[in-house]
Amino acid sequence: MRRWNGWGDDTQDYPLPEGAAHFLEEALGPATPPVDAALEDVLATAPPSRLPPHPLIVTDAETRLRHTRGQSFPDWVALRSGRIGPLPDGVAFPTAGEEVRELLRYARDAGARVIPYGGGTSVVGHINPLPGDAPVLTISLARMNHLESLDEASGLARFGAGVTGPDLEAQLRARGFTLGHYPQSFEFSTLGGWIATRSSGQQSLGYGRIERLFSGGVVETPTGTLVLPDFPASAAGPDLREIVLGSEGRLGVITQASVRASRLPQVEAFHGVFLPDWERGREAVRAIAGAGLPLSMLRLSTPGETITTLALAGHDRLIGALERMLALRGVKDEKCMLIIAVTGWEKVARTALREALGLCKEHGGIHVGQTFGKQWHKSRFRTPYLRNTLWERGYGVDTLETAAPWERIPALVTAIESALHSALADVDERVHVFTHLSHVYPHGSSVYTTYIFRLAADPEENLRRWRALKGRASEAIVAGGGTISHQHGVGVDHAPYLAAEKGALGLGAIRALCAYFDPDGLLNPGKLIE
Ligand SMILES: Cc1cc2nc3c(=O)[nH]c(=O)nc-3n(C[C@H](O)[C@H](O)[C@H](O)COP(=O)(O)OP(=O)(O)OC[C@H]3O[C@@H](n4cnc5c(N)ncnc54)[C@H](O)[C@@H]3O)c2cc1C
């Protein structure tokens, strides 16, 4: 069963190798986990539902609790401490568009607010009910998860929007296709959620972000049903898919979506390269991205992340041997790990890999084969389970992400990391910070930073620490010319920074769109924009 107050399936763990525990203690000091609230105690505090009864809506406390929070750090503090805040008053699991339309009519008549819910993996407060007098109805798309049709000639697959990553891939792979969209939250996040948050998968370099994969679909709005037809391209005015992408549940409920699938690749391989330092690593990936080679992933770690990854891996002897080999070839303490993935037709993949490795070599890179790449690939959806392990050892962990043109990347990374390093100086706490470039483009790159810090016993103090960290880093992002989000969306946590990016006119246009599709303000109020 899925954990109610942490990440993932409760039969799966990610034990921390002893060397890694020692590494963290050295970096941050020994820690003590805060005391967790028990599920029964939290359920006992659930207030009664304020919704009038409806056959499609369930109102038991446990279902409501399990749909009340996502996966952000404040969500974890709320769930672990039992200070949950408002619960939805009911959760509906419709099976068809007609039922969604019925639920929207019911919500309007009941004066309720509606939160569309995919997999609940939001990390910015997207799906949390906010305090208020109106009852809250969460509409889960979990039962709308089937492959409705597959046009094999065009590679167009239409799904119910509640399909999760593994179910979507399994249904496509059974027919010889793949979507290739692999956010780290793949195990639980859904197609509708990916579209509503403008998600990006780990192999977006090859397959494209969700914007490129989303072909069309159906959105149920309080004003009516918006149908987005499938065209390979169109010059018929503004593209209405663009207003649904990133709409964060504010315009309507996406019930069906078509995606542009690809034939299963002939080959796929993940290779490791070590670059001598951060500057040469950056220049190598910039050159590769600029050359337009058909790779599916380029993921470059800073020296800090490289050291941390090798320490957390726990294979001390293998890593010792690797470090000695690299040192002999001049790649030492400042080394940066790069993972290159090639996916597709064998001949094309072979050529692309050869050219990419050649560009790495020009920048001092040493190719170490597939061992590290394979290891990364094997554990790519397991890594989030480490969050549970760290919390249970007394450490909080969070990530943040942005994107900017290449020219700004070096200063931006330095500014984000130094803002985080010093954010808890007032309580004399250290912060362990590391970064990678997770998605690269010819004209810039995304930046993905992880920070780990010690938890206090008091949930309020943990929130205060997180606000200091998140606030300082977000200010550094805005000042450094980065977007407030490359892939996680806006939700509540990034909303204060949106005006800096969109401007007053832009925000006004978004607000007007929401008002057009949702004149009574039923849908997900307080998220994306006020
Ligand atoms: C460990 C971890 C790793 C992550 N890694 C990545 C990553 O690699 N790339 C990435 O892009 N994101 C990542 N995320 C963030 C998150 O998984 C994405 O934002 C994801 O797209 C959310 O999908 P979901 O189905 O869980 O949506 P939810 O969390 O359920 O909802 C998110 C928002 O979308 C709206 N929404 C959901 N479904 C619908 C629908 N059918 N119609 C209308 N609105 C809807 C909701 O109202 C809400 O505003 C990660 C999160 C975690 C916890």
Side-chain angles (χ1 to χ4, degrees):
M1 190 175 212
R2 202 163 155 188
R3 283 184 175 84
W4 71 277
N5 64 354
W7 176 257
D9 188 299
D10 58 13
T11 60
Q12 287 205 39
D13 279 324
Y14 193 133
L16 201 60
E18 258 328 293
H22 182 68
F23 175 85
L24 274 179
E25 275 198 29
E26 289 272 293
L28 299 172
T32 313
V35 178
D36 283 349
L39 176 60
E40 312 75 65
D41 295 342
V42 178
L43 291 176
T45 63
S49 170
R50 296 167 293 179
L51 283 170
H54 188 284
L56 289 174
I57 300 173
V58 295
T59 55
D60 66 279
E62 185 160 350
T63 307
R64 289 162 59 204
L65 176 67
R66 285 180 177 276
H67 291 82
T68 197
R69 288 284 187 156
Q71 289 289 323
S72 70
F73 185 85
D75 293 337
W76 272 50
V77 172
L79 292 165
R80 294 268 179 173
S81 69
R83 301 181 189 186
I84 308 283
L87 298 182
D89 291 272
V91 185
F93 299 90
T95 56
E98 174 49 37
E99 289 181 356
V100 174
R101 288 195 288 277
E102 157 65 18
L103 288 163
L104 290 177
R105 283 191 294 270
Y106 158 92
R108 190 194 50 220
D109 296 346
R113 301 291 173 259
V114 173
I115 302 180
Y117 185 101
T121 67
S122 160
V123 281
V124 288
H126 279 124
I127 46 108
N128 308 351
L130 301 180
D133 294 335
V136 175
L137 169 64
T138 289
I139 300 185
S140 165
L141 276 292
R143 290 195 185 142
M144 297 180 73
N145 60 357
H146 300 295
L147 177 61
E148 307 279 340
S149 64
L150 175 63
D151 165 357
E152 295 201 5
S154 318
L156 286 176
R158 179 156 291 219
F159 284 94
V163 67
T164 60
D167 282 353
L168 176 143
E169 275 296 326
Q171 293 179 78
L172 283 180
R173 280 170 186 258
R175 307 278 293 269
F177 285 86
T178 176
L179 185 62
H181 188 73
Y182 303 113
Q184 202 188 38
S185 56
F186 179 74
E187 203 181 338
F188 300 102
S189 56
T190 65
L191 175 57
W194 300 338
I195 295 165
T197 60
R198 296 190 91 99
S199 154
S200 192
Q202 290 162 339
Q203 285 168 258
S204 68
L205 183 62
Y207 289 105
R209 290 163 58 90
I210 199 68
E211 299 83 301
R212 196 169 103 195
L213 299 170
F214 172 44
S215 164
V218 179
V219 187
E220 300 295 348
T221 84
T223 300
T225 302
L226 181 67
V227 178
L228 303 165
D230 292 311
F231 298 119
S234 165
D239 187 343
L240 295 178
R241 285 172 312 157
E242 280 294 333
I243 64 172
V244 175
L245 285 157
S247 56
E248 303 196 353
R250 292 296 308 252
L251 300 183
V253 182
I254 305 159
T255 54
Q256 288 188 5
S258 309
V259 288
R260 295 166 175 160
S262 308
R263 287 272 171 200
L264 283 170
Q266 279 180 348
V267 290
E268 179 158 80
F270 294 80
H271 286 254
V273 175
F274 283 83
L275 281 303
D277 54 46
W278 178 228
E279 187 179 346
R280 278 181 279 181
R282 268 192 339 260
E283 287 308 313
V285 291
R286 192 169 68 85
I288 299 171
L293 296 173
L295 303 167
S296 64
M297 190 180 81
L298 284 168
R299 184 186 188 284
L300 177 72
S301 299
T302 55
E305 182 169 289
T306 303
I307 291 169
T308 307
T309 307
L310 297 180
L312 293 185
H315 304 290
D316 296 349
R317 282 171 65 186
L318 174 71
I319 287 162
L322 169 85
E323 293 196 312
R324 283 190 296 280
M325 183 277 279
L326 291 174
L328 283 174
R329 298 173 71 179
V331 174
K332 296 183 183 162
D333 294 350
E334 291 301 303
K335 62 182 167 300
C336 292
M337 186 166 81
L338 168 65
I339 305 218
I340 301 179
V342 282
T343 305
W345 290 96
E346 193 172 350
K347 282 185 188 156
V348 176
R350 206 182 314 129
T351 309
L353 180 65
R354 191 183 57 235
E355 294 302 318
L357 292 177
L359 284 167
C360 287
K361 200 168 172 194
E362 283 176 23
H363 292 83
I366 296 176
H367 178 209
V368 295
Q370 295 190 48
T371 311
F372 284 91
K374 274 188 183 154
Q375 189 55 34
W376 177 86
H377 182 245
K378 204 171 108 193
S379 57
R380 62 175 167 172
F381 305 131
R382 269 194 76 219
T383 316
Y385 285 85
L386 199 51
R387 295 174 82 195
N388 302 325
T389 316
L390 291 177
W391 187 281
E392 282 143 24
R393 284 181 172 255
Y395 299 102
V397 57
D398 196 15
T399 59
L400 49 84
E401 35 82 55
T402 178
W406 280 113
E407 196 193 31
R408 294 183 205 150
I409 294 294
L412 189 57
V413 172
T414 306
I416 295 169
E417 290 202 345
S418 38
L420 289 167
H421 275 302
S422 60
L424 301 185
D426 63 328
V427 281
D428 216 13
E429 287 291 328
R430 284 172 277 163
V431 184
H432 186 59
V433 184
F434 49 93
T435 297
H436 64 263
L437 305 186
S438 55
H439 304 255
V440 301
Y441 304 92
H443 307 288
S445 176
S446 73
V447 170
Y448 191 94
T449 299
T450 302
Y451 51 103
I452 308 178
F453 54 103
R454 284 200 301 190
L455 295 168
D458 175 10
E460 285 310 318
E461 171 58 13
N462 287 327
L463 280 179
R464 195 199 64 78
R465 287 183 188 180
W466 176 82
R467 281 193 204 105
L469 288 156
K470 180 79 178 173
R472 295 279 299 274
S474 299
E475 282 157 20
I477 286 173
V478 173
T483 170
I484 195 59
S485 179
H486 168 265
Q487 64 203 54
H488 290 162
V490 178
V492 173
D493 297 338
H494 292 154
Y497 306 95
L498 197 61
E501 195 161 323
K502 305 288 183 200
L505 193 60
L507 279 190
I510 297 172
R511 213 171 273 122
L513 263 177
C514 293
Y516 178 76
F517 287 107
D518 179 23
D520 300 316
L522 303 182
L523 285 157
N524 216 3
K527 317 299 166 53
L528 181 63
I529 47 162
E530 284 308 309

Short mmCIF file of all heavy atoms in Angstrom, two decimals, residues 188-235:
data_model
loop_
_atom_site.label_atom_id
_atom_site.label_comp_id
_atom_site.label_asym_id
_atom_site.label_seq_id
_atom_site.Cartn_x
_atom_site.Cartn_y
_atom_site.Cartn_z
N PHE A 188 4.03 7.00 -9.59
CA PHE A 188 2.70 7.41 -9.11
C PHE A 188 2.09 8.58 -9.88
O PHE A 188 0.88 8.79 -9.81
CB PHE A 188 2.76 7.78 -7.62
CG PHE A 188 3.21 6.65 -6.76
CD1 PHE A 188 4.51 6.59 -6.29
CD2 PHE A 188 2.35 5.60 -6.47
CE1 PHE A 188 4.94 5.51 -5.52
CE2 PHE A 188 2.77 4.52 -5.70
CZ PHE A 188 4.06 4.48 -5.22
N SER A 189 2.90 9.38 -10.56
CA SER A 189 2.33 10.55 -11.23
C SER A 189 1.55 10.12 -12.47
O SER A 189 1.75 9.02 -12.99
CB SER A 189 3.40 11.58 -11.56
OG SER A 189 4.43 11.01 -12.34
N THR A 190 0.66 10.99 -12.94
CA THR A 190 -0.28 10.61 -13.99
C THR A 190 -0.14 11.50 -15.22
O THR A 190 0.38 12.63 -15.14
CB THR A 190 -1.73 10.75 -13.48
OG1 THR A 190 -1.98 12.14 -13.22
CG2 THR A 190 -1.99 9.94 -12.22
N LEU A 191 -0.71 11.01 -16.31
CA LEU A 191 -0.67 11.77 -17.56
C LEU A 191 -1.32 13.15 -17.38
O LEU A 191 -0.76 14.17 -17.82
CB LEU A 191 -1.37 10.96 -18.64
CG LEU A 191 -1.56 11.61 -20.00
CD1 LEU A 191 -0.22 12.05 -20.60
CD2 LEU A 191 -2.26 10.63 -20.96
N GLY A 192 -2.50 13.19 -16.74
CA GLY A 192 -3.17 14.49 -16.54
C GLY A 192 -2.32 15.43 -15.70
O GLY A 192 -2.23 16.63 -15.98
N GLY A 193 -1.69 14.87 -14.66
CA GLY A 193 -0.81 15.68 -13.80
C GLY A 193 0.39 16.20 -14.58
O GLY A 193 0.79 17.35 -14.42
N TRP A 194 0.97 15.35 -15.44
CA TRP A 194 2.13 15.81 -16.23
C TRP A 194 1.73 17.00 -17.10
O TRP A 194 2.48 17.98 -17.20
CB TRP A 194 2.63 14.69 -17.15
CG TRP A 194 3.09 13.43 -16.45
CD1 TRP A 194 3.50 13.31 -15.14
CD2 TRP A 194 3.19 12.11 -17.02
NE1 TRP A 194 3.85 12.01 -14.88
CE2 TRP A 194 3.67 11.25 -16.00
CE3 TRP A 194 2.94 11.57 -18.28
CZ2 TRP A 194 3.90 9.88 -16.22
CZ3 TRP A 194 3.16 10.22 -18.50
CH2 TRP A 194 3.63 9.38 -17.48
N ILE A 195 0.55 16.91 -17.71
CA ILE A 195 0.11 18.00 -18.60
C ILE A 195 -0.17 19.26 -17.78
O ILE A 195 0.27 20.36 -18.12
CB ILE A 195 -1.14 17.57 -19.39
CG1 ILE A 195 -0.79 16.41 -20.33
CG2 ILE A 195 -1.74 18.75 -20.18
CD1 ILE A 195 -2.00 15.66 -20.89
N ALA A 196 -0.89 19.07 -16.67
CA ALA A 196 -1.31 20.24 -15.87
C ALA A 196 -0.14 20.93 -15.19
O ALA A 196 -0.27 22.07 -14.73
CB ALA A 196 -2.34 19.80 -14.83
N THR A 197 1.02 20.25 -15.10
CA THR A 197 2.18 20.88 -14.45
C THR A 197 3.35 21.11 -15.41
O THR A 197 4.44 21.47 -14.96
CB THR A 197 2.70 20.01 -13.29
OG1 THR A 197 3.09 18.74 -13.83
CG2 THR A 197 1.67 19.79 -12.20
N ARG A 198 3.18 20.83 -16.67
CA ARG A 198 4.27 20.95 -17.67
C ARG A 198 5.49 20.14 -17.25
O ARG A 198 6.62 20.66 -17.15
CB ARG A 198 4.69 22.42 -17.85
CG ARG A 198 3.63 23.32 -18.40
CD ARG A 198 4.22 24.66 -18.77
NE ARG A 198 4.65 24.64 -20.14
CZ ARG A 198 3.96 25.14 -21.15
NH1 ARG A 198 2.80 25.72 -20.95
NH2 ARG A 198 4.43 25.07 -22.37
N SER A 199 5.25 18.88 -17.06
CA SER A 199 6.30 18.02 -16.54
C SER A 199 7.40 17.72 -17.56
O SER A 199 7.21 17.84 -18.77
CB SER A 199 5.62 16.73 -16.09
OG SER A 199 6.46 15.65 -16.10
N SER A 200 8.54 17.32 -17.03
CA SER A 200 9.65 16.95 -17.89
C SER A 200 10.20 15.60 -17.43
O SER A 200 10.45 15.40 -16.24
CB SER A 200 10.73 18.03 -17.76
OG SER A 200 11.68 17.85 -18.76
N GLY A 201 10.37 14.68 -18.36
CA GLY A 201 10.91 13.35 -18.02
C GLY A 201 12.42 13.34 -18.14
O GLY A 201 13.02 14.19 -18.80
N GLN A 202 13.04 12.34 -17.50
CA GLN A 202 14.51 12.31 -17.46
C GLN A 202 15.13 12.18 -18.85
O GLN A 202 16.27 12.59 -19.06
CB GLN A 202 14.97 11.15 -16.57
CG GLN A 202 14.65 11.40 -15.11
CD GLN A 202 14.67 10.13 -14.28
OE1 GLN A 202 14.54 9.02 -14.80
NE2 GLN A 202 14.83 10.28 -12.98
N GLN A 203 14.39 11.60 -19.81
CA GLN A 203 14.95 11.46 -21.16
C GLN A 203 14.30 12.45 -22.14
O GLN A 203 14.13 12.16 -23.32
CB GLN A 203 14.82 10.02 -21.63
CG GLN A 203 15.86 9.13 -20.93
CD GLN A 203 15.60 7.66 -21.13
OE1 GLN A 203 15.09 7.00 -20.24
NE2 GLN A 203 15.94 7.15 -22.28
N SER A 204 13.98 13.63 -21.61
CA SER A 204 13.31 14.63 -22.45
C SER A 204 14.19 15.10 -23.60
O SER A 204 13.70 15.59 -24.61
CB SER A 204 12.88 15.84 -21.61
OG SER A 204 14.02 16.54 -21.16
N LEU A 205 15.51 14.94 -23.49
CA LEU A 205 16.39 15.36 -24.59
C LEU A 205 16.03 14.60 -25.86
O LEU A 205 16.07 15.16 -26.96
CB LEU A 205 17.86 15.10 -24.20
CG LEU A 205 18.93 15.53 -25.19
CD1 LEU A 205 18.89 17.03 -25.43
CD2 LEU A 205 20.32 15.12 -24.69
N GLY A 206 15.67 13.34 -25.69
CA GLY A 206 15.30 12.54 -26.86
C GLY A 206 13.81 12.57 -27.16
O GLY A 206 13.38 12.78 -28.30
N TYR A 207 13.00 12.35 -26.12
CA TYR A 207 11.55 12.20 -26.35
C TYR A 207 10.80 13.53 -26.31
O TYR A 207 9.68 13.62 -26.80
CB TYR A 207 10.96 11.26 -25.28
CG TYR A 207 11.37 9.82 -25.46
CD1 TYR A 207 12.32 9.24 -24.62
CD2 TYR A 207 10.82 9.04 -26.47
CE1 TYR A 207 12.70 7.90 -24.78
CE2 TYR A 207 11.19 7.71 -26.63
CZ TYR A 207 12.13 7.15 -25.77
OH TYR A 207 12.49 5.84 -25.94
N GLY A 208 11.40 14.53 -25.68
CA GLY A 208 10.72 15.82 -25.54
C GLY A 208 9.99 15.92 -24.22
O GLY A 208 9.67 14.91 -23.58
N ARG A 209 9.75 17.15 -23.79
CA ARG A 209 8.97 17.39 -22.58
C ARG A 209 7.50 17.07 -22.88
O ARG A 209 7.13 16.81 -24.01
CB ARG A 209 9.11 18.87 -22.17
CG ARG A 209 10.48 19.25 -21.64
CD ARG A 209 10.66 20.75 -21.68
NE ARG A 209 9.64 21.44 -20.92
CZ ARG A 209 9.73 21.75 -19.62
NH1 ARG A 209 10.81 21.44 -18.94
NH2 ARG A 209 8.75 22.38 -19.02
N ILE A 210 6.65 17.17 -21.86
CA ILE A 210 5.25 16.80 -22.07
C ILE A 210 4.59 17.72 -23.11
O ILE A 210 3.69 17.29 -23.84
CB ILE A 210 4.46 16.77 -20.74
CG1 ILE A 210 3.17 15.95 -20.88
CG2 ILE A 210 4.17 18.17 -20.23
CD1 ILE A 210 3.36 14.48 -21.08
N GLU A 211 5.09 18.96 -23.24
CA GLU A 211 4.52 19.86 -24.25
C GLU A 211 4.61 19.26 -25.65
O GLU A 211 3.76 19.48 -26.49
CB GLU A 211 5.27 21.18 -24.36
CG GLU A 211 5.39 22.12 -23.26
CD GLU A 211 6.47 21.87 -22.27
OE1 GLU A 211 6.47 20.78 -21.65
OE2 GLU A 211 7.29 22.77 -22.06
N ARG A 212 5.74 18.54 -25.92
CA ARG A 212 5.91 17.96 -27.24
C ARG A 212 5.11 16.66 -27.38
O ARG A 212 4.67 16.30 -28.46
CB ARG A 212 7.40 17.69 -27.48
CG ARG A 212 7.72 17.45 -28.94
CD ARG A 212 9.22 17.46 -29.17
NE ARG A 212 9.72 16.09 -29.32
CZ ARG A 212 11.00 15.75 -29.25
NH1 ARG A 212 11.90 16.67 -29.01
NH2 ARG A 212 11.37 14.51 -29.41
N LEU A 213 4.90 15.99 -26.26
CA LEU A 213 4.24 14.67 -26.30
C LEU A 213 2.71 14.77 -26.28
O LEU A 213 2.02 13.87 -26.76
CB LEU A 213 4.72 13.83 -25.11
CG LEU A 213 6.23 13.56 -25.08
CD1 LEU A 213 6.64 12.94 -23.75
CD2 LEU A 213 6.62 12.64 -26.23
N PHE A 214 2.20 15.85 -25.71
CA PHE A 214 0.74 16.03 -25.57
C PHE A 214 0.17 16.48 -26.90
O PHE A 214 0.47 17.57 -27.39
CB PHE A 214 0.52 17.08 -24.48
CG PHE A 214 -0.90 17.54 -24.29
CD1 PHE A 214 -1.97 16.65 -24.27
CD2 PHE A 214 -1.19 18.89 -24.08
CE1 PHE A 214 -3.27 17.08 -24.07
CE2 PHE A 214 -2.47 19.34 -23.88
CZ PHE A 214 -3.53 18.43 -23.88
N SER A 215 -0.70 15.65 -27.47
CA SER A 215 -1.21 15.96 -28.81
C SER A 215 -2.59 16.59 -28.80
O SER A 215 -2.91 17.43 -29.66
CB SER A 215 -1.23 14.65 -29.60
OG SER A 215 -2.02 14.77 -30.74
N GLY A 216 -3.43 16.19 -27.87
CA GLY A 216 -4.81 16.72 -27.83
C GLY A 216 -5.55 16.05 -26.69
O GLY A 216 -4.97 15.29 -25.92
N GLY A 217 -6.85 16.32 -26.58
CA GLY A 217 -7.59 15.67 -25.50
C GLY A 217 -8.90 16.35 -25.20
O GLY A 217 -9.42 17.13 -26.01
N VAL A 218 -9.41 16.07 -24.01
CA VAL A 218 -10.70 16.61 -23.60
C VAL A 218 -10.55 17.21 -22.19
O VAL A 218 -9.97 16.57 -21.31
CB VAL A 218 -11.77 15.49 -23.56
CG1 VAL A 218 -13.11 16.05 -23.12
CG2 VAL A 218 -11.90 14.82 -24.93
N VAL A 219 -11.07 18.42 -22.03
CA VAL A 219 -11.02 19.08 -20.72
C VAL A 219 -12.44 19.47 -20.36
O VAL A 219 -13.12 20.19 -21.11
CB VAL A 219 -10.13 20.35 -20.76
CG1 VAL A 219 -9.95 20.91 -19.35
CG2 VAL A 219 -8.79 20.07 -21.40
N GLU A 220 -12.90 18.99 -19.20
CA GLU A 220 -14.24 19.39 -18.71
C GLU A 220 -14.09 20.64 -17.88
O GLU A 220 -13.39 20.64 -16.86
CB GLU A 220 -14.86 18.26 -17.87
CG GLU A 220 -15.06 16.95 -18.61
CD GLU A 220 -16.08 17.06 -19.76
OE1 GLU A 220 -16.80 18.08 -19.86
OE2 GLU A 220 -16.12 16.11 -20.57
N THR A 221 -14.69 21.73 -18.33
CA THR A 221 -14.60 22.99 -17.58
C THR A 221 -16.01 23.38 -17.12
O THR A 221 -17.00 22.92 -17.70
CB THR A 221 -14.02 24.13 -18.44
OG1 THR A 221 -15.09 24.71 -19.21
CG2 THR A 221 -12.93 23.66 -19.38
N PRO A 222 -16.12 24.23 -16.11
CA PRO A 222 -17.46 24.67 -15.70
C PRO A 222 -18.22 25.36 -16.85
O PRO A 222 -19.44 25.34 -16.89
CB PRO A 222 -17.18 25.63 -14.55
CG PRO A 222 -15.87 25.15 -13.99
CD PRO A 222 -15.08 24.69 -15.19
N THR A 223 -17.49 25.96 -17.80
CA THR A 223 -18.15 26.64 -18.93
C THR A 223 -18.58 25.67 -20.02
O THR A 223 -19.51 25.96 -20.78
CB THR A 223 -17.19 27.70 -19.51
OG1 THR A 223 -16.90 28.64 -18.47
CG2 THR A 223 -17.76 28.44 -20.69
N GLY A 224 -17.91 24.53 -20.13
CA GLY A 224 -18.26 23.56 -21.17
C GLY A 224 -17.10 22.61 -21.41
O GLY A 224 -16.08 22.67 -20.71
N THR A 225 -17.27 21.77 -22.43
CA THR A 225 -16.24 20.76 -22.72
C THR A 225 -15.31 21.29 -23.80
O THR A 225 -15.75 21.62 -24.90
CB THR A 225 -16.92 19.46 -23.20
OG1 THR A 225 -17.82 19.02 -22.19
CG2 THR A 225 -15.89 18.37 -23.45
N LEU A 226 -14.04 21.38 -23.48
CA LEU A 226 -13.04 21.84 -24.45
C LEU A 226 -12.42 20.62 -25.11
O LEU A 226 -11.83 19.78 -24.43
CB LEU A 226 -11.96 22.66 -23.72
CG LEU A 226 -10.84 23.23 -24.59
CD1 LEU A 226 -11.35 24.32 -25.53
CD2 LEU A 226 -9.73 23.82 -23.70
N VAL A 227 -12.56 20.54 -26.45
CA VAL A 227 -12.00 19.41 -27.18
C VAL A 227 -10.80 19.90 -27.97
O VAL A 227 -10.90 20.86 -28.73
CB VAL A 227 -13.06 18.79 -28.12
CG1 VAL A 227 -12.46 17.64 -28.92
CG2 VAL A 227 -14.25 18.29 -27.29
N LEU A 228 -9.67 19.24 -27.77
CA LEU A 228 -8.43 19.63 -28.46
C LEU A 228 -8.11 18.55 -29.48
O LEU A 228 -7.72 17.44 -29.11
CB LEU A 228 -7.28 19.74 -27.46
CG LEU A 228 -7.52 20.72 -26.30
CD1 LEU A 228 -6.52 20.48 -25.18
CD2 LEU A 228 -7.43 22.16 -26.78
N PRO A 229 -8.32 18.82 -30.78
CA PRO A 229 -8.12 17.78 -31.79
C PRO A 229 -6.64 17.46 -31.99
O PRO A 229 -5.77 18.28 -31.69
CB PRO A 229 -8.72 18.38 -33.07
CG PRO A 229 -9.02 19.81 -32.77
CD PRO A 229 -8.71 20.12 -31.35
N ASP A 230 -6.38 16.25 -32.52
CA ASP A 230 -5.00 15.83 -32.78
C ASP A 230 -4.57 16.27 -34.17
O ASP A 230 -5.11 15.79 -35.17
CB ASP A 230 -4.91 14.30 -32.74
CG ASP A 230 -5.13 13.76 -31.35
OD1 ASP A 230 -4.49 14.25 -30.42
OD2 ASP A 230 -5.97 12.84 -31.20
N PHE A 231 -3.63 17.18 -34.24
CA PHE A 231 -3.01 17.53 -35.52
C PHE A 231 -1.50 17.42 -35.32
O PHE A 231 -1.00 17.78 -34.26
CB PHE A 231 -3.32 18.98 -35.93
CG PHE A 231 -4.78 19.26 -36.13
CD1 PHE A 231 -5.43 20.20 -35.35
CD2 PHE A 231 -5.50 18.59 -37.11
CE1 PHE A 231 -6.78 20.48 -35.54
CE2 PHE A 231 -6.86 18.86 -37.30
CZ PHE A 231 -7.50 19.80 -36.51
N PRO A 232 -0.79 17.00 -36.37
CA PRO A 232 0.67 16.98 -36.21
C PRO A 232 1.23 18.40 -36.07
O PRO A 232 2.25 18.63 -35.44
CB PRO A 232 1.18 16.30 -37.49
CG PRO A 232 0.05 16.39 -38.46
CD PRO A 232 -1.21 16.48 -37.69
N ALA A 233 0.52 19.37 -36.69
CA ALA A 233 0.90 20.78 -36.59
C ALA A 233 -0.29 21.58 -37.10
O ALA A 233 -1.14 21.05 -37.81
CB ALA A 233 2.12 21.07 -37.44
N SER A 234 -0.37 22.83 -36.71
CA SER A 234 -1.48 23.65 -37.18
C SER A 234 -1.10 25.12 -37.11
O SER A 234 -0.44 25.56 -36.17
CB SER A 234 -2.71 23.41 -36.27
OG SER A 234 -3.66 24.42 -36.47
N ALA A 235 -1.54 25.87 -38.13
CA ALA A 235 -1.32 27.32 -38.12
C ALA A 235 -2.64 28.06 -37.88
O ALA A 235 -2.75 29.25 -38.17
CB ALA A 235 -0.70 27.76 -39.45
#
